[in-house]
Amino acid sequence: MGELRLEGIILDAGYTLRGARGIIRLTLRAKDKAYDLIDPSFYPYFYLVPANEKQEGKPLEGITTLSKEGGEVKVRSVEEDKLLVGTTEQRAFRIYLESPRDVPKMSEVFGEFGTCYESDIVFWKRYLIDKGLSPLSTNTVRAHEENGELIIDEIKSTSAPGGIDLRYVGFDIETYNPLGVPNQLKDPVIMISYSDGKEKKVLTTKKIAKPFVSSFKSEKEMLKAFVDAINRLDPDIITGYNSANFDIPYLLKRSEVGKQEFNIGRNEDGRVKQEHHGLLEAVKIPGRVHLDLYNVAKFVSVVGASEKVIRVNNFKLPEVYRAITGSDKKMVDKGSIWEQWDRGGKDVEELAEYSLADSLAVDELYKFFLPIEVEMAKVAKTTLGEASISTTSQLVEFMLMGRARERKQLVPNKPHEGEIGMRLANPYEGAYVKTPEAGIYDNIAVFDFRGLYPSIIMAHNIDPSTICNDCKEYFESPTGVRFRKDRKGLMPELLKILVDERAEAKKAYKKEPDNKALAARSTALKIVANAFYGYLGYARSRWYSREAAASVTAFARQFILSTIDQAEKAGFRSLYSDTDSVFLLMGSKTKADADAFLKSVNKSLPNTMELELEDFYTRGVFVGKRGATAGASGAKKKYAMISEAGRLKIKGFELVRRDWSKVARDTQHAVLDAILKEGSKEKAVEIIKDVVTRLKSGKMPISELVIHTQLRKGIGNYDVKSPELAAAKKALQSGAKRRDELEGAAIGYVITKHGSTISEKAEIEETAKDYDADYYIDHQILPATLKILKELGINEEELRGGGAQKRL
């Protein structure tokens, strides 16, 4: 075969070891099929900046060290270059090796000659960075065949969109669980369901008279059938829900026990690999993308990319599915799946329907989340699989590394633990917050700075590399730190690109409001741009700078205070301010006055900064600090307002938190509606009295009383006994829950009548049979509503049903 020319997106990037050689391996998905490519011409390396400027490169080539295996590791070659180290250009030696595994060891050896850099950059990421590749854009490849392999001769990315329709398979498993927690070594997989949007199947080891069911004689045959189905359907993406933590590890172990191959990858090394990725468990499937929608849902919720997902009480599949689709998926009692399996008949048919429902739910979530994940990967210029398991800081870091390479700037080393500790022990002043006077207010205008922190970084060229003492032209922050004007910093430069791209995406989206890809791109660009300041002040960041991060917040405080001052001089009254926003009482001012004020402020701002009008609100409630009396200073981030269009804006109240019961959140929401929409404190009081009466009657549904709290550590690692911990321990001891279902999860528990302390009364939702009405009245309903109504002169006794209402 002669030269082959290909176009497509990079689905998977990694490397394979052949002897001592590390060889880059890519999966390129073209329109016709996926191609397995290798690039033997690329070698791993790191940099040495010598302590002695007279050090020549030639002698360095002879240095060797013993590897852990006892063999000798040699330098392959050395190249000399001039690179920026911080703000100064220095000589640097690029030291090439054969295997990426030898890079960390050799960099330690060379450390005696100076400072080593970039020894901890993953080999395949190094390849993407050096080649300037953007995996999900169109990549063009020239290749040739050699010994049955496609060898890359040239590869480059274009700015054109990928334009490839990706195939996927969503799947889920059910396991036999007589002890509640299935044992991978003993308890078999009893069902595997999957769907690719067209083919919908349940594989099982019992005969079930359903058209979507295929039955097999043994678990081993069923596992083989699933592997065969994956290879036949040949998906680009394999997706599941919590599949990296449970489904795939379980399938791997059962395949090992049954001596069944589980090669679902695309190349000859189709073995699935389990890896740690920060705090996450990750799964790598050669030649394909593994997308765990559980991790994606949590990420999207944290960064605010989807309002629906923010409001879930936990990240279990049924809850997230309901938030996204508005429907309930089919459920069974998970703890008794083994009993249904043993009973057979209609019970097993129901299990099959439930199993398929899980895969169909995965189907829906995949379609919902895929656009934002694709755009996150495009923005960061990484693979889809890597983007799906990365934090915003990790995405920002990868982008900065790519830009640093283009600027011939060395990537700073990761900080060691001692340095991280020093950073954490030396915090800096954060955002300005003006607390409001607690009360209820009418006619409020809210203004906020568009992308305040990114715009400050761009406007003042804030970057670790632009800090200077002797520069002639500079921006000086309120803290006294100077940032040079004559050379653009890495962060401001990259942020300008992102902000401009977002402006283009928003413009295009206005023309095509139904284009989900454009909406997702705009959101992805916003998420990443807003993460730069956090990364700058993140203790584990390569580009950490206390001086730079503190300057950003100092400038922010300056601009907010200046805006408040201008507002009050213009005749508005400042009510509240937090980080990037100001809340002004209009009084007798008109909307025209507000517009004139806005234009006046923007004339005084740097050209990258802009104050925007968020909205006009007819009424707002600002509550006092915990334990404060009516009329006292208000709390931070605790308010509720209603816009002229009837939209509620709520911050800090329990209805947007999952660690309060649904009845408390719903009651608070109803009280806010009564006050903000109807202006009726009398109706608000009646709503609370009614809920108190229903609770005392004992007829409130258990589902309304569940409290969700995250169990962040292992069950045995807590010093203080809490309700969620006590509920988790009871569930574990009774066999109602597995340890892996509890640890790291949001525990849903109910405070029952049984026990002398709150912790003793706590039981998980599934086993709770009754509830302690007094607890929910005293610790949920009244605290959630009294903080609002005390601003109207209502006291606790009136809410319980006694006493006369006070007048304002």
Side-chain angles (χ1 to χ4, degrees), residues 94-283:
R94 186 188 291 191
I95 301 169
Y96 288 96
L97 304 173
E98 293 283 332
S99 172
R101 294 183 179 181
D102 295 331
V103 171
K105 292 175 285 187
M106 284 297 274
S107 66
E108 290 179 13
V109 174
F110 278 91
E112 65 180 275
F113 296 98
T115 304
C116 292
Y117 291 89
E118 304 191 9
S119 62
D120 56 358
I121 297 177
V122 177
F123 188 35
W124 67 264
K125 292 184 180 181
R126 169 92 276 168
Y127 184 81
L128 296 183
I129 290 168
D130 284 22
K131 297 287 185 181
L133 300 178
S134 180
L136 294 189
S137 296
T138 295
N139 294 272
T140 61
V141 178
R142 285 194 302 106
H144 69 275
E145 188 175 352
E146 188 177 304
N147 297 324
E149 294 182 309
L150 287 179
I151 314 296
I152 295 172
D153 296 315
E154 181 186 61
I155 183 168
K156 58 184 179 181
S157 289
T158 72
S159 58
I164 304 290
D165 291 327
L166 299 175
R167 296 194 297 262
Y168 74 96
V169 167
F171 82 102
D172 189 75
I173 70 171
E174 308 304 333
T175 59
Y176 193 66
N177 60 339
L179 299 178
V181 181
N183 184 322
Q184 291 181 345
L185 295 174
K186 296 179 180 179
D187 296 325
V189 176
I190 56 177
M191 287 182 182
I192 306 174
S193 61
Y194 68 84
S195 168
D196 67 348
K198 297 175 183 176
E199 182 174 312
K200 304 167 188 177
K201 282 283 185 181
V202 172
L203 312 179
T204 184
T205 54
K206 280 194 175 182
K207 288 186 177 181
I208 302 174
K210 292 285 182 181
F212 55 84
V213 174
S214 293
S215 301
F216 301 89
K217 293 179 181 178
S218 66
E219 181 190 28
K220 182 176 180 178
E221 286 189 16
M222 178 180 63
L223 292 170
K224 182 180 184 303
F226 179 64
V227 171
D228 290 344
I230 293 294
N231 291 322
R232 172 175 54 81
L233 296 169
D234 194 24
D236 303 302
I237 299 172
I238 296 177
T239 183
Y241 202 85
N242 201 31
S243 46
N245 283 302
F246 179 70
D247 300 73
I248 288 182
Y250 208 97
L251 289 171
L252 284 169
K253 181 55 71 174
R254 293 308 300 166
S255 296
E256 181 185 318
V257 169
K259 297 181 180 179
Q260 164 61 43
E261 293 283 337
F262 195 75
N263 290 353
I264 56 173
R266 266 190 166 131
N267 53 51
E268 73 273 8
D269 181 20
R271 289 174 299 168
V272 177
K273 299 178 180 68
Q274 295 172 259
E275 299 178 355
H276 295 291
H277 194 278
L279 298 175
L280 296 180
E281 295 300 314
V283 166

